[in-house]
Amino acid sequence: MARKFLYFIAIAIILVLAGAFALSIWTTEITRLAMVPSADFEDQTPLASNAYQDSALWYSRPGIGFEDPSRWQPAYRDKRGTSRLLPKHADPVPDFAVFFVHPTSYYNRSAWNAPIGDEDAEKNARLFLRGLASAFNQANEVWAPKYRQATVGAFLTDAPEAQMAFDAAYSDVEQAYDYFLGSIDEETPIILAGHSQGAMHVVRLLADKVADQPIAERIAAAYVVGWPISITHDLPSLGLPACATSNQAGCIMSWSTFAEPADPRELMKAYSGSTGLDGELRSTSQILCTNPLSGTIGGDATAERNFGTLVPEGDLSSGELLAGYAPARCDERGLLLIGPAPEMGNAVLPGNNYHVYDIPLFWRNVQIDSVARAEAWHQSQQ
């Protein structure tokens, strides 16, 4: 399933590096040749049982301070174009802890898994966390682990080494998650979140470590963004329902973003040929689409309900929040459509696929939504 869906997501990442024009002239075969590792798969030695006690294995965790990319706060402009401080939440923010898994940041074909300490991969990961995990920065704790992620080329092949790379990456994520659980207060609600490859691992955490487990009662929400969840073939295995209302706790938010006119034919072809968590083909089953502007399943929300899109600078190192920048509506397939293509940068996939910007497009709403889920969880405990 991972290869069939993430082939186009891998290209999105390559777009960030190579630019749309260069990629547009590549054939599928050349893309695979350029990105799929030529090296033999090397078994990843399990990390020491106490490895994640070392703060060096975390991009974000309590105590890192100003260097923590998840704590970055962008500038803000309101609907009138006036620059000002971001409005504070009306009520005190409740306690909650976030476990965030970053997307693919390793593009080297010399290995199937990124080595811990790879300079380029870690630089890219920090950049992505700055734009993605920062949306959850109202949490009193944000944890984002380093892990031996599968290289981007692993998503472009059916070779058995690819699945071995995914399993190795997940093993690290699982170990980091277990350490996270043991490090936070037992009364603190949890938000699980990830994007792209990170979301793939969060899906597996939900299926393996949350569904039918006592910890499910502590999940305020799970944000599985940029990864398709089949309502029929995946959702029942995840242990949590979709978020049907904006004041619901213990539920899943998930969306994949396209501008219009959207041309998702290749993505839908890959999705329909992939296998769900129940072992059945996803086929034409509807993808879960929760609207980040309304916090509900499906629906249509105008741009006025978008309280802040994080519009990045060209190198993605910074950006500014602009209110009212894009609307959002879920279509019948389960894709999130945002109207005419907004200017976000040069990492838009063919077909108006805004995968790279799934969270930045709705940054402020995600921030507000995460607080609301935590509040709903605390209220449910009274």
Side-chain angles (χ1 to χ4, degrees):
M1 192 280 265
R3 185 199 67 82
K4 289 184 176 181
F5 174 68
L6 277 185
Y7 174 77
F8 299 98
I9 303 316
I11 291 179
I13 298 167
I14 299 168
L15 271 168
V16 176
L17 303 177
F21 175 76
L23 183 68
S24 69
I25 62 175
W26 285 8
T27 65
T28 299
E29 291 74 18
I30 293 175
T31 302
R32 286 176 176 153
L33 181 64
M35 304 306 297
V36 174
S38 57
D40 293 335
F41 178 81
E42 294 185 8
D43 289 330
Q44 301 298 303
T45 302
L47 297 173
S49 60
N50 63 347
Y52 280 100
Q53 290 181 9
D54 187 351
S55 61
L57 277 182
W58 297 88
Y59 294 111
S60 299
R61 61 168 287 173
I64 289 181
F66 291 111
E67 295 183 359
D68 188 333
S70 300
R71 291 300 178 183
W72 178 68
Q73 182 69 35
Y76 172 72
R77 266 198 282 155
D78 62 22
K79 295 177 182 179
R80 299 178 181 177
T82 303
S83 295
R84 59 190 184 90
L85 294 175
L86 194 65
K88 294 183 178 180
H89 291 276
D91 299 314
V93 175
D95 288 345
F96 66 105
V98 175
F99 183 80
F100 189 97
V101 187
H102 71 77
T104 308
S105 64
Y106 183 65
Y107 317 121
N108 198 317
R109 65 189 296 264
S110 65
W112 288 92
N113 290 90
I116 297 293
D118 182 86
E119 184 176 350
D120 289 337
E122 294 200 359
K123 177 182 177 181
N124 292 330
R126 286 190 176 90
L127 196 66
F128 294 151
L129 289 167
R130 190 172 168 90
L132 303 175
S134 62
F136 299 93
N137 65 16
Q138 294 300 294
N140 52 310
E141 298 186 34
V142 180
W143 297 69
K146 298 179 182 180
Y147 67 102
R148 290 172 290 186
Q149 62 186 282
T151 187
V152 68
F155 298 108
L156 309 181
T157 177
D158 281 325
E161 291 88 347
Q163 187 58 54
M164 295 163 70
F166 302 144
D167 291 343
Y170 175 73
S171 180
D172 285 358
V173 170
E174 182 182 33
Q175 187 173 342
Y177 169 75
D178 288 342
Y179 181 79
F180 157 78
L181 283 185
S183 300
I184 63 175
D185 189 279
E186 293 182 356
E187 302 299 320
T188 300
I190 297 163
I191 283 179
L192 301 178
H195 184 255
S196 199
Q197 179 175 170
M200 177 182 74
H201 296 311
V202 169
V203 165
R204 193 164 171 180
L205 282 176
L206 288 169
D208 293 352
K209 309 283 286 189
V210 174
D212 301 321
Q213 302 293 323
I215 195 64
E217 298 297 325
R218 286 179 58 194
I219 304 298
Y223 293 80
V224 182
V225 185
W227 184 262
I229 295 175
S230 167
I231 293 176
T232 302
H233 300 293
D234 295 323
L235 189 60
S237 299
L238 299 183
L240 301 174
C243 293
T245 67
S246 60
N247 60 355
Q248 179 181 356
C251 59
I252 296 173
M253 293 287 290
S254 184
W255 64 90
S256 296
T257 314
F258 281 77
E260 299 177 80
D263 182 7
R265 286 176 294 177
E266 294 297 332
L267 186 147
M268 297 304 296
K269 179 181 177 181
Y271 169 79
S272 65
S274 63
T275 302
L277 295 177
D278 63 357
E280 301 292 330
L281 283 179
R282 291 185 174 88
S283 188
T284 58
S285 63
Q286 188 175 10
I287 297 171
L288 174 62
C289 180
T290 53
N291 193 318
L293 297 187
S294 64
T296 63
I297 300 172
D300 189 341
T302 65
E304 289 192 354
R305 298 183 67 178
N306 191 327
F307 302 124
T309 293
L310 177 57
V311 180
E313 294 180 350
D315 62 358
L316 304 180
S317 65
S318 190
E320 185 178 40
L321 285 178
L322 301 181
Y325 202 67
R329 67 180 179 89
C330 294
D331 74 1
E332 66 281 356
R333 296 161 294 195
L335 300 177
L336 187 71
L337 304 182
I338 56 172
E343 180 55 47
M344 291 290 289
N346 66 352
V348 179
L349 267 169
N352 269 337
N353 187 338
Y354 272 66
H355 173 79
V356 172
Y357 308 109
D358 281 323
I359 291 177
L361 277 161
F362 316 106
W363 191 97
R364 174 60 170 164
N365 289 76
V366 172
Q367 186 185 61
I368 293 171
D369 189 83
S370 64
V371 173
R373 304 293 173 190
E375 289 175 341
W377 186 91
H378 281 284
Q379 291 173 5
S380 72
Q381 305 303 301
Q382 297 176 0

